[in-house]
């Protein structure tokens, strides 16, 4: 008998890629729950329109339903998790998977960061509007662990590194693509020591499917990150190869980049370097090489651009 899974979120980027992949698995029955602002209309996928922040509506939407697993893509505050568990019928869930983030870790000089690293103890005011993001995600994890313990169901926390790939609405790889297409140079921070870990969105979808097939991930947390660590100079070089065109660069001091408010997508001086080895060992999982994933991403971006009427390149 196949498994029934509930996907909370699932209309944008990573969630959408996962739902597309899961819908192709004959042994999975997929139901998505979200506000319905972007319906997917994927054959075989059941869509429930509901705002998870409305406890009564959520209870009504989930009444009488049961699922072997829930993959939660859009829990950003601890109340999101608490509301979901209070709405689930008793014995209505077999496994809870929270898509968390590597941003839950406290700043450290040790890298790559593993799952044993210390989590944040509070918000990070220096991050401005994003000051609560990592800490709130950690509170989501903490709340989920307690809720699963009380409900006697297993949990798994997945902490992706920087995600890239098709449907990405964040200006990450698209920053480099659009600068190159417009003929603009890409600023490269001079002497920038920062290294970054990446995760192809298709690998995230594949990792979740691996996880759902096994009990090896029960009551555990895993980073998801490819093994390559890249700096800005390497990023530009790889993306240039993927695009098949030379990307002009200009070297600037980090202070000047910040002063001119050039919107580079990653921090200039802080490592975002994480180890995804534990997941790889546990599930015999192989991450896609960064070049291959980025090449696929560029092809999708280029095709999507043409379909939107921007013309050939």
């Amino acid at each position: 008998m196949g498994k029934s899974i509930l996907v909370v979120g699932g209309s944008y980027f990573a969630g959408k890629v996962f739902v597309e992949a899961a819908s192709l698995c004959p042994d999975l029955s997929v139901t998505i729950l979200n506000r319905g602002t972007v319906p997917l209309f994927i054959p075989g996928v059941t869509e429930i329109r509901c705002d998870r922040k409305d406890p009564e509506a959520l209870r009504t939407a989930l009444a009488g339903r049961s699922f072997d697993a829930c993959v939660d893509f859009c829990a950003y505050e601890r109340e999101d998790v608490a509301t979901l568990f209070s709405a689930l019928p008793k014995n209505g869930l077999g496994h809870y998977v929270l898509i968390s983030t590597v941003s839950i870790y406290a700043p450290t000089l040790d890298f790559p960061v593993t799952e044993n690293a210390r989590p944040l103890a509070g918000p990070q005011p220096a991050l401005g509007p994003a000051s609560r993001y990592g800490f709130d995600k950690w509170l989501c994890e903490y709340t989920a662990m307690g809720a699963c313990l009380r409900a006697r169901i297993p949990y798994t926390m997945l902490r992706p590194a920087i995600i890239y790939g098709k449907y990405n609405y964040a200006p990450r790889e698209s920053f480099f693509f659009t600068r190159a297409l417009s003929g603009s140079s890409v600023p490269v921070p001079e002497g920038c020591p920062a290294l970054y870990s990446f995760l192809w969105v298709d690998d995230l979808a594949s990792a979740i499917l691996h996880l759902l097939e096994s009990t090896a991930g029960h009551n555990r947390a895993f980073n998801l990150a490819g093994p390559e660590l890249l700096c800005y100079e390497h990023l530009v070089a790889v993306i240039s190869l993927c695009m098949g065109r030379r990307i002009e660069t200009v070297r600037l001091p980090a202070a000047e980049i910040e002063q001119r408010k050039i919107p580079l997508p990653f921090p200039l001086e802080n490592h975002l370097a994480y180890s995804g080895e534990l997941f790889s060992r546990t599930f015999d999982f192989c991450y896609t090489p960064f070049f291959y994933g980025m090449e696929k991403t560029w092809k999708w971006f280029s095709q999507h651009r043409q379909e939107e009427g921007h013309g050939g390149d």
Side-chain angles (χ1 to χ4, degrees):
M1 180 180 292
K3 287 185 175 181
S4 61
I5 61 172
L6 172 67
V7 180
V8 184
S11 288
Y12 296 94
F13 191 28
K16 183 176 180 179
V17 172
F18 171 70
V19 171
E20 288 178 344
S23 72
L24 299 177
C25 298
D27 58 338
L28 291 181
S29 172
V30 183
T31 298
I32 63 173
L33 184 149
N34 53 42
R35 291 175 297 177
T37 52
V38 184
L40 293 184
F41 302 119
I42 297 176
V45 174
T46 301
E47 300 191 42
I48 301 175
R49 185 173 181 175
C50 178
D51 186 347
R52 72 177 300 162
K53 293 184 179 295
D54 184 335
E56 191 56 42
L58 193 57
R59 249 189 305 274
T60 300
L62 295 177
R65 298 177 182 267
S66 62
F67 302 94
D68 294 298
C70 170
V71 184
D72 194 345
F73 279 91
C74 64
Y76 297 107
E77 300 173 345
R78 64 191 310 171
E79 291 79 8
D80 294 336
V81 176
T83 301
L84 176 63
F85 273 86
S86 67
L88 285 166
K90 187 177 181 180
N91 302 320
L93 185 61
H95 181 199
Y96 178 71
V97 180
L98 175 64
I99 307 303
S100 185
T101 171
V102 289
S103 296
I104 65 106
Y105 295 115
T108 176
L109 296 177
D110 296 328
F111 71 92
V113 177
T114 70
E115 292 81 356
N116 294 323
R118 184 168 54 90
L120 288 165
Q124 298 172 283
L127 298 181
S131 62
R132 290 200 59 92
Y133 175 69
F135 183 58
D136 280 339
K137 274 291 199 178
W138 167 241
L139 293 179
C140 286
E141 289 195 23
Y142 189 79
T143 303
M145 285 187 278
C148 288
L149 180 63
R150 290 188 294 274
R152 297 184 179 180
I153 63 173
Y155 63 81
T156 307
M157 312 302 177
L158 294 180
R159 300 166 180 165
I162 302 168
I163 307 175
Y164 70 95
K166 64 180 181 180
Y167 307 137
N168 191 1
Y169 51 82
R172 293 170 182 163
E173 62 271 21
S174 62
F175 170 85
F176 301 97
F177 294 157
T178 54
R179 299 278 294 202
L181 291 172
S182 67
S184 302
S185 60
V186 173
V188 174
E190 272 184 348
C192 177
L195 296 171
Y196 314 107
S197 295
F198 293 89
L199 178 70
W200 188 29
V201 69
D202 290 57
D203 277 354
L204 173 58
S206 179
I208 299 170
L209 292 174
H210 276 69
L211 175 69
L212 295 176
E213 293 175 355
S214 169
T215 61
H218 285 186
N219 301 325
R220 302 177 71 182
F222 298 93
N223 295 341
L224 293 175
E228 299 118 317
L229 299 178
L230 296 97
C231 65
Y232 267 104
E233 191 168 357
H234 292 144
L235 274 172
V236 173
V238 172
I239 292 174
S240 177
L241 286 172
C242 292
M243 297 181 70
R245 65 175 68 202
R246 179 180 174 81
I247 299 178
E248 297 296 331
T249 61
V250 55
R251 296 183 178 278
L252 295 173
E256 183 176 345
I257 292 174
E258 292 177 348
Q259 183 180 16
R260 291 168 56 179
K261 297 183 179 180
I262 299 173
L264 289 178
F266 313 118
L268 302 183
E269 297 177 343
N270 297 327
H271 295 298
L272 297 179
Y274 305 91
S275 171
E277 185 180 351
L278 178 61
F279 189 91
S280 184
R281 288 200 316 266
T282 303
F283 295 95
D284 194 24
F285 183 81
C286 293
Y287 294 99
T288 301
F290 182 77
F291 174 84
Y292 181 83
M294 189 56 72
E295 185 179 45
K296 290 284 189 180
T297 302
W298 160 243
K299 287 179 180 178
W300 178 88
F301 180 93
S302 181
Q303 179 63 36
H304 186 67
R305 176 182 167 85
Q306 291 181 33
E307 290 173 354
E308 289 186 342
H310 292 282
D313 298 311

